[in-house]
Amino acid sequence: MKDLEQAAPIAWPAIIEFADGHGYAWVANADDCEGHHPHVQDRLIDLEGWPHLLSQREDGSLYWQRQQRLISVPALNESLRAYAARLGICCIPKLRVATPAEAVALVAWLEQQ
């Protein structure tokens, strides 16, 4: 996004986890985020597993603020299974990622289904 800054480097591609519970979106780079219209409190999870929270400064500008801890892969698996179920994907119990990079790839695959 042109008006969206990064407080710390982001390992692309990544996924946006929407705070409103509407699931995930795969993004190739910062410019790709704009098409998904992220809002404050949405979370971007990068290829290395760093979560970045979309935050707003007092002047209204938005930025991705990297969080201090890596994403929990078991918690991510649970959330991805729920997302896949809402999409109508079968065999949900078998869906499992072992790394954040696999989660990014899974979201890209789910978007093509």
Side-chain angles (χ1 to χ4, degrees), residues 23-57:
Y24 293 88
W26 182 88
V27 290
N29 53 46
D31 292 335
D32 200 19
C33 290
E34 187 174 346
H36 296 285
H37 309 288
H39 295 91
V40 172
Q41 299 299 311
D42 285 348
R43 188 167 68 157
L44 185 137
I45 301 167
D46 74 16
L47 203 59
E48 295 174 350
W50 288 106
H52 304 257
L53 189 66
L54 188 55
S55 303
Q56 188 170 21
R57 293 189 177 93

PDB file of all heavy atoms in Angstrom, residues 23-57:
ATOM      1  N   GLY A  23     -11.539 -14.799   7.795  1.00  0.00           N
ATOM      2  CA  GLY A  23     -10.547 -15.694   7.221  1.00  0.00           C
ATOM      3  C   GLY A  23      -9.239 -15.054   6.853  1.00  0.00           C
ATOM      4  O   GLY A  23      -8.739 -14.161   7.545  1.00  0.00           O
ATOM      5  N   TYR A  24      -8.704 -15.515   5.733  1.00  0.00           N
ATOM      6  CA  TYR A  24      -7.349 -15.178   5.307  1.00  0.00           C
ATOM      7  C   TYR A  24      -7.312 -14.730   3.859  1.00  0.00           C
ATOM      8  O   TYR A  24      -8.226 -15.035   3.084  1.00  0.00           O
ATOM      9  CB  TYR A  24      -6.453 -16.414   5.437  1.00  0.00           C
ATOM     10  CG  TYR A  24      -6.231 -16.867   6.850  1.00  0.00           C
ATOM     11  CD1 TYR A  24      -7.107 -17.751   7.464  1.00  0.00           C
ATOM     12  CD2 TYR A  24      -5.141 -16.417   7.572  1.00  0.00           C
ATOM     13  CE1 TYR A  24      -6.901 -18.170   8.768  1.00  0.00           C
ATOM     14  CE2 TYR A  24      -4.926 -16.830   8.882  1.00  0.00           C
ATOM     15  CZ  TYR A  24      -5.806 -17.708   9.466  1.00  0.00           C
ATOM     16  OH  TYR A  24      -5.602 -18.115  10.754  1.00  0.00           O
ATOM     17  N   ALA A  25      -6.223 -14.065   3.504  1.00  0.00           N
ATOM     18  CA  ALA A  25      -5.947 -13.725   2.113  1.00  0.00           C
ATOM     19  C   ALA A  25      -4.451 -13.859   1.881  1.00  0.00           C
ATOM     20  O   ALA A  25      -3.643 -13.454   2.721  1.00  0.00           O
ATOM     21  CB  ALA A  25      -6.390 -12.294   1.796  1.00  0.00           C
ATOM     22  N   TRP A  26      -4.079 -14.441   0.742  1.00  0.00           N
ATOM     23  CA  TRP A  26      -2.680 -14.574   0.355  1.00  0.00           C
ATOM     24  C   TRP A  26      -2.246 -13.281  -0.313  1.00  0.00           C
ATOM     25  O   TRP A  26      -2.988 -12.724  -1.135  1.00  0.00           O
ATOM     26  CB  TRP A  26      -2.531 -15.746  -0.616  1.00  0.00           C
ATOM     27  CG  TRP A  26      -1.129 -16.006  -1.038  1.00  0.00           C
ATOM     28  CD1 TRP A  26      -0.221 -16.803  -0.401  1.00  0.00           C
ATOM     29  CD2 TRP A  26      -0.454 -15.494  -2.194  1.00  0.00           C
ATOM     30  NE1 TRP A  26       0.968 -16.814  -1.085  1.00  0.00           N
ATOM     31  CE2 TRP A  26       0.852 -16.010  -2.192  1.00  0.00           C
ATOM     32  CE3 TRP A  26      -0.829 -14.630  -3.212  1.00  0.00           C
ATOM     33  CZ2 TRP A  26       1.785 -15.709  -3.181  1.00  0.00           C
ATOM     34  CZ3 TRP A  26       0.094 -14.320  -4.197  1.00  0.00           C
ATOM     35  CH2 TRP A  26       1.386 -14.858  -4.176  1.00  0.00           C
ATOM     36  N   VAL A  27      -1.063 -12.784   0.043  1.00  0.00           N
ATOM     37  CA  VAL A  27      -0.533 -11.566  -0.580  1.00  0.00           C
ATOM     38  C   VAL A  27       0.918 -11.791  -0.985  1.00  0.00           C
ATOM     39  O   VAL A  27       1.710 -12.330  -0.220  1.00  0.00           O
ATOM     40  CB  VAL A  27      -0.662 -10.325   0.338  1.00  0.00           C
ATOM     41  CG1 VAL A  27      -2.110  -9.909   0.476  1.00  0.00           C
ATOM     42  CG2 VAL A  27      -0.068 -10.568   1.708  1.00  0.00           C
ATOM     43  N   ALA A  28       1.241 -11.390  -2.197  1.00  0.00           N
ATOM     44  CA  ALA A  28       2.590 -11.581  -2.726  1.00  0.00           C
ATOM     45  C   ALA A  28       3.582 -10.561  -2.174  1.00  0.00           C
ATOM     46  O   ALA A  28       4.751 -10.865  -1.980  1.00  0.00           O
ATOM     47  CB  ALA A  28       2.570 -11.505  -4.253  1.00  0.00           C
ATOM     48  N   ASN A  29       3.080  -9.333  -1.938  1.00  0.00           N
ATOM     49  CA  ASN A  29       3.964  -8.249  -1.499  1.00  0.00           C
ATOM     50  C   ASN A  29       3.122  -7.120  -0.900  1.00  0.00           C
ATOM     51  O   ASN A  29       1.892  -7.223  -0.848  1.00  0.00           O
ATOM     52  CB  ASN A  29       4.800  -7.736  -2.677  1.00  0.00           C
ATOM     53  CG  ASN A  29       3.938  -7.369  -3.866  1.00  0.00           C
ATOM     54  OD1 ASN A  29       2.923  -6.699  -3.725  1.00  0.00           O
ATOM     55  ND2 ASN A  29       4.321  -7.828  -5.045  1.00  0.00           N
ATOM     56  N   ALA A  30       3.771  -6.057  -0.481  1.00  0.00           N
ATOM     57  CA  ALA A  30       3.070  -4.944   0.165  1.00  0.00           C
ATOM     58  C   ALA A  30       2.019  -4.323  -0.754  1.00  0.00           C
ATOM     59  O   ALA A  30       0.925  -3.973  -0.305  1.00  0.00           O
ATOM     60  CB  ALA A  30       4.073  -3.892   0.620  1.00  0.00           C
ATOM     61  N   ASP A  31       2.325  -4.200  -2.041  1.00  0.00           N
ATOM     62  CA  ASP A  31       1.371  -3.610  -2.980  1.00  0.00           C
ATOM     63  C   ASP A  31       0.114  -4.466  -3.121  1.00  0.00           C
ATOM     64  O   ASP A  31      -0.973  -3.954  -3.335  1.00  0.00           O
ATOM     65  CB  ASP A  31       2.016  -3.404  -4.349  1.00  0.00           C
ATOM     66  CG  ASP A  31       3.091  -2.331  -4.326  1.00  0.00           C
ATOM     67  OD1 ASP A  31       3.026  -1.446  -3.446  1.00  0.00           O
ATOM     68  OD2 ASP A  31       3.992  -2.392  -5.176  1.00  0.00           O
ATOM     69  N   ASP A  32       0.275  -5.774  -2.985  1.00  0.00           N
ATOM     70  CA  ASP A  32      -0.847  -6.701  -3.107  1.00  0.00           C
ATOM     71  C   ASP A  32      -1.832  -6.561  -1.938  1.00  0.00           C
ATOM     72  O   ASP A  32      -3.006  -6.889  -2.073  1.00  0.00           O
ATOM     73  CB  ASP A  32      -0.301  -8.134  -3.172  1.00  0.00           C
ATOM     74  CG  ASP A  32      -1.273  -9.119  -3.764  1.00  0.00           C
ATOM     75  OD1 ASP A  32      -2.222  -8.698  -4.453  1.00  0.00           O
ATOM     76  OD2 ASP A  32      -1.086 -10.328  -3.528  1.00  0.00           O
ATOM     77  N   CYS A  33      -1.364  -6.057  -0.809  1.00  0.00           N
ATOM     78  CA  CYS A  33      -2.237  -5.894   0.362  1.00  0.00           C
ATOM     79  C   CYS A  33      -3.394  -4.945   0.085  1.00  0.00           C
ATOM     80  O   CYS A  33      -4.496  -5.150   0.588  1.00  0.00           O
ATOM     81  CB  CYS A  33      -1.438  -5.359   1.559  1.00  0.00           C
ATOM     82  SG  CYS A  33      -0.291  -6.537   2.256  1.00  0.00           S
ATOM     83  N   GLU A  34      -3.145  -3.919  -0.699  1.00  0.00           N
ATOM     84  CA  GLU A  34      -4.152  -2.886  -0.948  1.00  0.00           C
ATOM     85  C   GLU A  34      -5.464  -3.445  -1.477  1.00  0.00           C
ATOM     86  O   GLU A  34      -6.542  -3.015  -1.080  1.00  0.00           O
ATOM     87  CB  GLU A  34      -3.592  -1.851  -1.928  1.00  0.00           C
ATOM     88  CG  GLU A  34      -4.478  -0.668  -2.128  1.00  0.00           C
ATOM     89  CD  GLU A  34      -3.823   0.392  -2.991  1.00  0.00           C
ATOM     90  OE1 GLU A  34      -2.609   0.340  -3.228  1.00  0.00           O
ATOM     91  OE2 GLU A  34      -4.562   1.289  -3.422  1.00  0.00           O
ATOM     92  N   GLY A  35      -5.388  -4.441  -2.345  1.00  0.00           N
ATOM     93  CA  GLY A  35      -6.587  -5.024  -2.932  1.00  0.00           C
ATOM     94  C   GLY A  35      -7.470  -5.764  -1.933  1.00  0.00           C
ATOM     95  O   GLY A  35      -8.631  -6.043  -2.223  1.00  0.00           O
ATOM     96  N   HIS A  36      -6.936  -6.061  -0.760  1.00  0.00           N
ATOM     97  CA  HIS A  36      -7.706  -6.774   0.261  1.00  0.00           C
ATOM     98  C   HIS A  36      -8.279  -5.834   1.323  1.00  0.00           C
ATOM     99  O   HIS A  36      -8.951  -6.282   2.238  1.00  0.00           O
ATOM    100  CB  HIS A  36      -6.839  -7.854   0.904  1.00  0.00           C
ATOM    101  CG  HIS A  36      -6.428  -8.907  -0.078  1.00  0.00           C
ATOM    102  ND1 HIS A  36      -7.303  -9.872  -0.538  1.00  0.00           N
ATOM    103  CD2 HIS A  36      -5.261  -9.133  -0.714  1.00  0.00           C
ATOM    104  CE1 HIS A  36      -6.673 -10.657  -1.395  1.00  0.00           C
ATOM    105  NE2 HIS A  36      -5.438 -10.223  -1.531  1.00  0.00           N
ATOM    106  N   HIS A  37      -8.002  -4.549   1.198  1.00  0.00           N
ATOM    107  CA  HIS A  37      -8.539  -3.521   2.082  1.00  0.00           C
ATOM    108  C   HIS A  37      -8.389  -3.874   3.564  1.00  0.00           C
ATOM    109  O   HIS A  37      -9.384  -3.965   4.289  1.00  0.00           O
ATOM    110  CB  HIS A  37     -10.008  -3.232   1.753  1.00  0.00           C
ATOM    111  CG  HIS A  37     -10.240  -2.963   0.309  1.00  0.00           C
ATOM    112  ND1 HIS A  37      -9.833  -1.801  -0.300  1.00  0.00           N
ATOM    113  CD2 HIS A  37     -10.806  -3.729  -0.669  1.00  0.00           C
ATOM    114  CE1 HIS A  37     -10.151  -1.847  -1.586  1.00  0.00           C
ATOM    115  NE2 HIS A  37     -10.733  -3.002  -1.829  1.00  0.00           N
ATOM    116  N   PRO A  38      -7.152  -4.085   4.028  1.00  0.00           N
ATOM    117  CA  PRO A  38      -6.978  -4.431   5.441  1.00  0.00           C
ATOM    118  C   PRO A  38      -7.382  -3.281   6.356  1.00  0.00           C
ATOM    119  O   PRO A  38      -7.356  -2.109   5.957  1.00  0.00           O
ATOM    120  CB  PRO A  38      -5.489  -4.735   5.557  1.00  0.00           C
ATOM    121  CG  PRO A  38      -4.854  -3.963   4.450  1.00  0.00           C
ATOM    122  CD  PRO A  38      -5.868  -3.935   3.343  1.00  0.00           C
ATOM    123  N   HIS A  39      -7.798  -3.644   7.550  1.00  0.00           N
ATOM    124  CA  HIS A  39      -8.218  -2.675   8.559  1.00  0.00           C
ATOM    125  C   HIS A  39      -7.327  -2.793   9.790  1.00  0.00           C
ATOM    126  O   HIS A  39      -6.682  -3.823  10.013  1.00  0.00           O
ATOM    127  CB  HIS A  39      -9.679  -2.927   8.963  1.00  0.00           C
ATOM    128  CG  HIS A  39     -10.641  -2.695   7.855  1.00  0.00           C
ATOM    129  ND1 HIS A  39     -11.036  -3.693   6.986  1.00  0.00           N
ATOM    130  CD2 HIS A  39     -11.279  -1.570   7.464  1.00  0.00           C
ATOM    131  CE1 HIS A  39     -11.880  -3.183   6.102  1.00  0.00           C
ATOM    132  NE2 HIS A  39     -12.051  -1.903   6.373  1.00  0.00           N
ATOM    133  N   VAL A  40      -7.352  -1.760  10.605  1.00  0.00           N
ATOM    134  CA  VAL A  40      -6.611  -1.766  11.862  1.00  0.00           C
ATOM    135  C   VAL A  40      -6.998  -3.024  12.640  1.00  0.00           C
ATOM    136  O   VAL A  40      -8.177  -3.398  12.670  1.00  0.00           O
ATOM    137  CB  VAL A  40      -6.913  -0.480  12.664  1.00  0.00           C
ATOM    138  CG1 VAL A  40      -6.314  -0.554  14.060  1.00  0.00           C
ATOM    139  CG2 VAL A  40      -6.379   0.733  11.924  1.00  0.00           C
ATOM    140  N   GLN A  41      -6.023  -3.670  13.204  1.00  0.00           N
ATOM    141  CA  GLN A  41      -6.136  -4.914  13.973  1.00  0.00           C
ATOM    142  C   GLN A  41      -6.091  -6.171  13.107  1.00  0.00           C
ATOM    143  O   GLN A  41      -6.047  -7.275  13.650  1.00  0.00           O
ATOM    144  CB  GLN A  41      -7.365  -4.944  14.890  1.00  0.00           C
ATOM    145  CG  GLN A  41      -7.370  -3.852  15.941  1.00  0.00           C
ATOM    146  CD  GLN A  41      -6.162  -3.947  16.888  1.00  0.00           C
ATOM    147  OE1 GLN A  41      -5.863  -4.997  17.417  1.00  0.00           O
ATOM    148  NE2 GLN A  41      -5.481  -2.832  17.100  1.00  0.00           N
ATOM    149  N   ASP A  42      -6.105  -6.050  11.772  1.00  0.00           N
ATOM    150  CA  ASP A  42      -5.856  -7.219  10.942  1.00  0.00           C
ATOM    151  C   ASP A  42      -4.399  -7.610  11.160  1.00  0.00           C
ATOM    152  O   ASP A  42      -3.564  -6.782  11.528  1.00  0.00           O
ATOM    153  CB  ASP A  42      -6.086  -6.915   9.459  1.00  0.00           C
ATOM    154  CG  ASP A  42      -7.559  -6.821   9.097  1.00  0.00           C
ATOM    155  OD1 ASP A  42      -8.407  -7.214   9.922  1.00  0.00           O
ATOM    156  OD2 ASP A  42      -7.844  -6.347   7.989  1.00  0.00           O
ATOM    157  N   ARG A  43      -4.104  -8.872  10.921  1.00  0.00           N
ATOM    158  CA  ARG A  43      -2.758  -9.367  11.189  1.00  0.00           C
ATOM    159  C   ARG A  43      -2.189  -9.989   9.934  1.00  0.00           C
ATOM    160  O   ARG A  43      -2.853 -10.766   9.253  1.00  0.00           O
ATOM    161  CB  ARG A  43      -2.839 -10.401  12.310  1.00  0.00           C
ATOM    162  CG  ARG A  43      -1.528 -10.868  12.828  1.00  0.00           C
ATOM    163  CD  ARG A  43      -1.689 -11.618  14.121  1.00  0.00           C
ATOM    164  NE  ARG A  43      -2.388 -12.880  13.930  1.00  0.00           N
ATOM    165  CZ  ARG A  43      -2.291 -13.903  14.752  1.00  0.00           C
ATOM    166  NH1 ARG A  43      -1.556 -13.819  15.838  1.00  0.00           N
ATOM    167  NH2 ARG A  43      -2.946 -15.016  14.516  1.00  0.00           N
ATOM    168  N   LEU A  44      -0.965  -9.623   9.623  1.00  0.00           N
ATOM    169  CA  LEU A  44      -0.247 -10.203   8.504  1.00  0.00           C
ATOM    170  C   LEU A  44       0.747 -11.209   9.087  1.00  0.00           C
ATOM    171  O   LEU A  44       1.470 -10.887  10.029  1.00  0.00           O
ATOM    172  CB  LEU A  44       0.483  -9.102   7.728  1.00  0.00           C
ATOM    173  CG  LEU A  44       1.185  -9.555   6.462  1.00  0.00           C
ATOM    174  CD1 LEU A  44       0.928  -8.548   5.350  1.00  0.00           C
ATOM    175  CD2 LEU A  44       2.660  -9.705   6.695  1.00  0.00           C
ATOM    176  N   ILE A  45       0.740 -12.421   8.560  1.00  0.00           N
ATOM    177  CA  ILE A  45       1.668 -13.448   9.014  1.00  0.00           C
ATOM    178  C   ILE A  45       2.623 -13.711   7.859  1.00  0.00           C
ATOM    179  O   ILE A  45       2.204 -14.121   6.772  1.00  0.00           O
ATOM    180  CB  ILE A  45       0.921 -14.742   9.409  1.00  0.00           C
ATOM    181  CG1 ILE A  45      -0.083 -14.430  10.523  1.00  0.00           C
ATOM    182  CG2 ILE A  45       1.910 -15.822   9.842  1.00  0.00           C
ATOM    183  CD1 ILE A  45      -1.082 -15.535  10.785  1.00  0.00           C
ATOM    184  N   ASP A  46       3.909 -13.454   8.110  1.00  0.00           N
ATOM    185  CA  ASP A  46       4.854 -13.578   7.005  1.00  0.00           C
ATOM    186  C   ASP A  46       5.407 -14.997   6.888  1.00  0.00           C
ATOM    187  O   ASP A  46       5.103 -15.882   7.690  1.00  0.00           O
ATOM    188  CB  ASP A  46       5.942 -12.507   7.075  1.00  0.00           C
ATOM    189  CG  ASP A  46       7.001 -12.712   8.139  1.00  0.00           C
ATOM    190  OD1 ASP A  46       7.125 -13.830   8.690  1.00  0.00           O
ATOM    191  OD2 ASP A  46       7.735 -11.747   8.417  1.00  0.00           O
ATOM    192  N   LEU A  47       6.206 -15.203   5.868  1.00  0.00           N
ATOM    193  CA  LEU A  47       6.744 -16.514   5.521  1.00  0.00           C
ATOM    194  C   LEU A  47       7.574 -17.123   6.642  1.00  0.00           C
ATOM    195  O   LEU A  47       7.677 -18.342   6.750  1.00  0.00           O
ATOM    196  CB  LEU A  47       7.590 -16.365   4.256  1.00  0.00           C
ATOM    197  CG  LEU A  47       7.834 -17.576   3.391  1.00  0.00           C
ATOM    198  CD1 LEU A  47       6.533 -18.162   2.894  1.00  0.00           C
ATOM    199  CD2 LEU A  47       8.718 -17.211   2.221  1.00  0.00           C
ATOM    200  N   GLU A  48       8.154 -16.285   7.483  1.00  0.00           N
ATOM    201  CA  GLU A  48       8.987 -16.773   8.581  1.00  0.00           C
ATOM    202  C   GLU A  48       8.201 -16.976   9.875  1.00  0.00           C
ATOM    203  O   GLU A  48       8.743 -17.431  10.863  1.00  0.00           O
ATOM    204  CB  GLU A  48      10.145 -15.803   8.825  1.00  0.00           C
ATOM    205  CG  GLU A  48      11.097 -15.731   7.643  1.00  0.00           C
ATOM    206  CD  GLU A  48      12.165 -14.675   7.818  1.00  0.00           C
ATOM    207  OE1 GLU A  48      12.082 -13.850   8.766  1.00  0.00           O
ATOM    208  OE2 GLU A  48      13.090 -14.656   6.992  1.00  0.00           O
ATOM    209  N   GLY A  49       6.913 -16.600   9.862  1.00  0.00           N
ATOM    210  CA  GLY A  49       6.077 -16.789  11.040  1.00  0.00           C
ATOM    211  C   GLY A  49       5.957 -15.589  11.947  1.00  0.00           C
ATOM    212  O   GLY A  49       5.377 -15.681  13.029  1.00  0.00           O
ATOM    213  N   TRP A  50       6.443 -14.441  11.500  1.00  0.00           N
ATOM    214  CA  TRP A  50       6.287 -13.227  12.297  1.00  0.00           C
ATOM    215  C   TRP A  50       4.917 -12.623  12.055  1.00  0.00           C
ATOM    216  O   TRP A  50       4.550 -12.345  10.914  1.00  0.00           O
ATOM    217  CB  TRP A  50       7.354 -12.186  11.954  1.00  0.00           C
ATOM    218  CG  TRP A  50       8.702 -12.546  12.456  1.00  0.00           C
ATOM    219  CD1 TRP A  50       9.764 -12.987  11.718  1.00  0.00           C
ATOM    220  CD2 TRP A  50       9.152 -12.507  13.810  1.00  0.00           C
ATOM    221  NE1 TRP A  50      10.833 -13.225  12.538  1.00  0.00           N
ATOM    222  CE2 TRP A  50      10.489 -12.938  13.823  1.00  0.00           C
ATOM    223  CE3 TRP A  50       8.544 -12.158  15.018  1.00  0.00           C
ATOM    224  CZ2 TRP A  50      11.231 -13.025  14.997  1.00  0.00           C
ATOM    225  CZ3 TRP A  50       9.286 -12.244  16.180  1.00  0.00           C
ATOM    226  CH2 TRP A  50      10.613 -12.667  16.166  1.00  0.00           C
ATOM    227  N   PRO A  51       4.140 -12.405  13.107  1.00  0.00           N
ATOM    228  CA  PRO A  51       2.877 -11.690  12.949  1.00  0.00           C
ATOM    229  C   PRO A  51       3.124 -10.182  12.990  1.00  0.00           C
ATOM    230  O   PRO A  51       3.940  -9.702  13.776  1.00  0.00           O
ATOM    231  CB  PRO A  51       2.047 -12.151  14.151  1.00  0.00           C
ATOM    232  CG  PRO A  51       3.049 -12.567  15.175  1.00  0.00           C
ATOM    233  CD  PRO A  51       4.298 -12.963  14.439  1.00  0.00           C
ATOM    234  N   HIS A  52       2.450  -9.473  12.116  1.00  0.00           N
ATOM    235  CA  HIS A  52       2.540  -8.017  12.030  1.00  0.00           C
ATOM    236  C   HIS A  52       1.122  -7.481  12.162  1.00  0.00           C
ATOM    237  O   HIS A  52       0.263  -7.798  11.334  1.00  0.00           O
ATOM    238  CB  HIS A  52       3.139  -7.572  10.697  1.00  0.00           C
ATOM    239  CG  HIS A  52       4.482  -8.154  10.411  1.00  0.00           C
ATOM    240  ND1 HIS A  52       5.642  -7.443  10.561  1.00  0.00           N
ATOM    241  CD2 HIS A  52       4.852  -9.394   9.977  1.00  0.00           C
ATOM    242  CE1 HIS A  52       6.670  -8.208  10.226  1.00  0.00           C
ATOM    243  NE2 HIS A  52       6.206  -9.396   9.878  1.00  0.00           N
ATOM    244  N   LEU A  53       0.868  -6.677  13.178  1.00  0.00           N
ATOM    245  CA  LEU A  53      -0.461  -6.135  13.436  1.00  0.00           C
ATOM    246  C   LEU A  53      -0.621  -4.802  12.707  1.00  0.00           C
ATOM    247  O   LEU A  53       0.251  -3.933  12.809  1.00  0.00           O
ATOM    248  CB  LEU A  53      -0.646  -5.937  14.940  1.00  0.00           C
ATOM    249  CG  LEU A  53      -2.049  -5.579  15.418  1.00  0.00           C
ATOM    250  CD1 LEU A  53      -2.998  -6.747  15.163  1.00  0.00           C
ATOM    251  CD2 LEU A  53      -2.015  -5.249  16.899  1.00  0.00           C
ATOM    252  N   LEU A  54      -1.716  -4.646  11.970  1.00  0.00           N
ATOM    253  CA  LEU A  54      -1.957  -3.373  11.285  1.00  0.00           C
ATOM    254  C   LEU A  54      -2.395  -2.359  12.332  1.00  0.00           C
ATOM    255  O   LEU A  54      -3.413  -2.521  12.998  1.00  0.00           O
ATOM    256  CB  LEU A  54      -3.014  -3.520  10.190  1.00  0.00           C
ATOM    257  CG  LEU A  54      -3.196  -2.301   9.297  1.00  0.00           C
ATOM    258  CD1 LEU A  54      -1.890  -1.855   8.642  1.00  0.00           C
ATOM    259  CD2 LEU A  54      -4.236  -2.568   8.222  1.00  0.00           C
ATOM    260  N   SER A  55      -1.585  -1.336  12.482  1.00  0.00           N
ATOM    261  CA  SER A  55      -1.791  -0.329  13.517  1.00  0.00           C
ATOM    262  C   SER A  55      -1.917   1.046  12.882  1.00  0.00           C
ATOM    263  O   SER A  55      -1.567   1.247  11.725  1.00  0.00           O
ATOM    264  CB  SER A  55      -0.614  -0.350  14.496  1.00  0.00           C
ATOM    265  OG  SER A  55      -0.464  -1.652  15.042  1.00  0.00           O
ATOM    266  N   GLN A  56      -2.398   2.002  13.677  1.00  0.00           N
ATOM    267  CA  GLN A  56      -2.596   3.359  13.176  1.00  0.00           C
ATOM    268  C   GLN A  56      -1.919   4.351  14.105  1.00  0.00           C
ATOM    269  O   GLN A  56      -2.085   4.300  15.322  1.00  0.00           O
ATOM    270  CB  GLN A  56      -4.088   3.660  13.078  1.00  0.00           C
ATOM    271  CG  GLN A  56      -4.399   4.958  12.386  1.00  0.00           C
ATOM    272  CD  GLN A  56      -5.883   5.099  12.102  1.00  0.00           C
ATOM    273  OE1 GLN A  56      -6.719   4.461  12.719  1.00  0.00           O
ATOM    274  NE2 GLN A  56      -6.206   5.949  11.142  1.00  0.00           N
ATOM    275  N   ARG A  57      -1.178   5.271  13.490  1.00  0.00           N
ATOM    276  CA  ARG A  57      -0.516   6.333  14.251  1.00  0.00           C
ATOM    277  C   ARG A  57      -1.517   7.452  14.535  1.00  0.00           C
ATOM    278  O   ARG A  57      -2.597   7.488  13.958  1.00  0.00           O
ATOM    279  CB  ARG A  57       0.663   6.871  13.459  1.00  0.00           C
ATOM    280  CG  ARG A  57       1.773   5.863  13.296  1.00  0.00           C
ATOM    281  CD  ARG A  57       3.015   6.536  12.684  1.00  0.00           C
ATOM    282  NE  ARG A  57       4.094   5.596  12.593  1.00  0.00           N
ATOM    283  CZ  ARG A  57       4.359   4.850  11.524  1.00  0.00           C
ATOM    284  NH1 ARG A  57       3.623   4.967  10.430  1.00  0.00           N
ATOM    285  NH2 ARG A  57       5.362   4.001  11.521  1.00  0.00           N
TER     286      ARG A  57
END
